[in-house]
Amino acid sequence: MKFETVLLHSVFAACLLLCVAVMGAMLVLPTPTALAANQAHAANVVNAEG
């Protein structure tokens, strides 16, 4: 019984940590469309220069 309780607690902690990490990444990182627009602009600049 003790082993199962520790196992469940550690699984819960891992899931909670993963959810917090994903939520933090979604709130902090820029949107994919902004990243794609920046890459497209950089590619246009490089192509225009040479």
Side-chain angles (χ1 to χ4, degrees):
M1 178 82 173
K2 182 76 171 163
F3 175 73
E4 290 88 358
T5 304
V6 171
L7 188 66
L8 281 174
H9 280 35
S10 54
V11 168
F12 176 74
C15 291
L16 186 65
L17 183 64
L18 181 65
C19 289
V20 168
V22 169
M23 182 64 73
M26 285 192 292
L27 292 175
V28 172
L29 293 177
T31 60
T33 52
L35 291 175
N38 287 341
Q39 289 177 350
H41 177 67
N44 289 336
V45 168
V46 169
N47 289 337
E49 290 178 355

